[in-house]
Amino acid sequence: MLLGTLLVLFLLGGTGPASAHAALRATDPEDGSLLKSAPRHLTLTFTESVGLLDDSFRVLDPDGRRLRTGEPRHAQGSGDTARVTLPAKLDQGTYTVAWRVVSADSHPVSGAFTFSVGERSLTTATVDTGPTEDPVTKSLYTIARYLAYLAATLLIGTATFMAVCRPPDTPLLARLLRTGWWTLLAATLALLVLRAPYETGEGPLGALGVDSLTRTLTSRPGMVLLARLALLPVVAVYLVQLSRRRKPYGWSGAALAVGLAVTWAAGEHASAGIQVPAAMTSSALHLLATAVWLGGLTALLGTLYRGHLTPAAVARFSRLAFASVTVLVVTGVYQSWRGLGSWDALTGTAYGRLLTLKLAAVVLLLGAAALSRRWTARLAAVGARAVVEERVPEMVGGPPQNGQSRADLPQNAQSRADLPQNAQSRADLPQNEQSRADLPQTDPPRTDVPPPTDPHRQALRRSVLVEVAVGAAVLAVTTLLTSTLPGRAEAEAAAGAPAVVGASVTDVPFDVGTPGGRGKVQITLDPGRVGDNSIEALVYGPDGGVSVVPELRVSFTLPAKDIGPLDAELTDKGGYWGNSFLNLPLAGTWEMKVTVRTSEVDQVSETTTVVVR
């Protein structure tokens, strides 16, 4: 448990942005767009439903001042959108929007984009969205989630092991149950307290506010955690009865285990995306099978080292583990398909690569399980032979069975076989029989505790220890998977988002044929796609410095559609030439003609091509 926690802290304790699960699909206005009139609303569309915070939108004007906006809400009741109302009148210039929401599977996601009204401006606003979560809060929250996984696995697995394998009373199993229950309680309380600062990106001290706890308790992730806390006292009562052998596992124990598993399914990947009911059922079964297998292995390992377990009990757990692995395979295949969406995502996304790592660990785990199963079969065979051999001396009095003669019995049993059935003591025997009654008597050996030096038992202990170690690593990778954007959602976000096209920058050399008449014109077309664009042109002289010219003209022609020439209508902006409204109506390869006049009589025209997407 300690090594797994340190692994998670090492892997997730950095300050990089988190892999949230609700990906931004579109913005209205679009990122980088230039609008002729001010919009009344800002609308974001995501790949799954999202929850809104009080501070979900921050809109900064061209001077970097924050605007007063309306309350964040969903657009037209659609849960996968976020909308906010803007002031009635906006000045011309570039506006910066910073946003933050919580995805349906409880992970926060944030970002920023810009749009311009009337003309683009050099905005002084600097919005650093930073990491989606505070690094310290994120690390503590992730560790608490990992401990909750381990505790549930230990709790459910040990209880199932006690019910199915029926080992003799041992303080070890009771300690495992107590450890699992208290760890799950502490981890759940930590998750509940850290939930608010985890969503808002604050440090752990952000959990101290009354508003923070209130917001958490009224959110869906908070209610899921409250449901888990409500189940724990009932689980505690049940475990006490189970430990004292007053209550069988039965349907009530299975119902409590399912209830705990559902609290994970309702707060993770299964609660969002496609086929939610089937996904939640599969997720709950996957967690239960994992707990029965890995938690049961922990209980098995402890009882093997204590020696308080019969070969028959080991065989019963072997059959239970095989059933658990079958459930794991079926649900794992479904969840992998649902999370990936395509084969390309297996290698092309972080989710796919983590899933590949988990699959490799599971294959190793299955290899160790196969060894354990083989040693279990050998141990059961040895135990069966031992039981048969030890049953013979128990036939005290009466004739030997199955045609056995007195000589066939072990030496220490022969004297006891000679005792008359009605003999109660040595004094009741005839004188000539008392000498045989004086032979040393030995108790039949116990069959519930095989010899500690049994090589089959030692080999089984080693293979089960490997299973437990690899199983802890599998749980660590599973924790990483629950913090990573599924490949299907990543592909949907990429398909739904508009193509990102950067500004087009073109250098056009010119030479008017006079001394000092050489140079180049650097033309920037932003965003370089169909519709409104801004165009800026800088003229450089032969020495590479900015040059001032009396006139500069640029026109565009699309020969394939017989459109143009369209005059860019550049005006001198004092050091450069520009126009904020140049409409290019169609995509394609346009011819751009640049005319530079360096004096009253010297000018030259050059033509090049630009691609408009």
Side-chain angles (χ1 to χ4, degrees), residues 420-432:
Q421 296 184 18
N422 60 351
Q424 303 298 318
S425 66
R426 181 180 182 279
D428 296 328
L429 298 176
Q431 185 66 33
N432 62 342

Side-chain angles (χ1 to χ4, degrees), residues 181-202:
W181 191 89
W182 283 108
T183 303
L184 184 57
L185 175 64
T188 304
L189 288 174
L191 291 172
L192 193 64
V193 171
L194 293 171
R195 183 67 210 176
Y198 176 73
E199 289 183 351
T200 58
E202 300 176 304

Side-chain angles (χ1 to χ4, degrees), residues 516-541:
R518 294 181 300 104
K520 70 175 182 179
V521 181
Q522 185 179 80
I523 299 175
T524 302
L525 192 64
D526 188 16
R529 60 190 178 200
V530 171
D532 287 335
N533 290 264
S534 67
I535 182 172
E536 295 178 357
L538 276 172
V539 181
Y540 294 92

Side-chain angles (χ1 to χ4, degrees), residues 156 231 253-263 284 288:
I156 297 173
L231 281 174
L256 289 174
V258 170
L260 287 176
V262 169
T263 62
L288 287 173

Side-chain angles (χ1 to χ4, degrees), residues 340 342-356 487 490:
L340 287 174
S342 67
W343 287 108
D344 293 338
L346 191 62
T347 57
T349 63
Y351 183 89
R353 289 187 289 271
L354 276 175
L355 184 60
T356 302
E490 186 174 334

Side-chain angles (χ1 to χ4, degrees), residues 15-80:
T15 58
S19 299
H21 299 163
L24 180 65
R25 176 174 291 171
T27 65
D28 184 17
E30 293 183 0
D31 184 15
S33 61
L34 178 61
L35 310 176
K36 292 183 179 180
S37 59
R40 289 293 294 125
H41 303 91
L42 295 177
T43 305
L44 309 180
T45 305
F46 297 89
T47 57
E48 64 181 45
S49 59
V50 295
L52 303 179
L53 306 172
D54 296 336
D55 199 29
S56 279
F57 286 93
R58 287 179 293 149
V59 184
L60 307 180
D61 66 11
D63 295 326
R65 295 188 297 266
R66 183 171 180 177
L67 299 181
R68 283 182 170 271
T69 60
E71 184 177 350
R73 56 187 176 87
H74 296 293
Q76 301 175 350
S78 179
D80 62 350

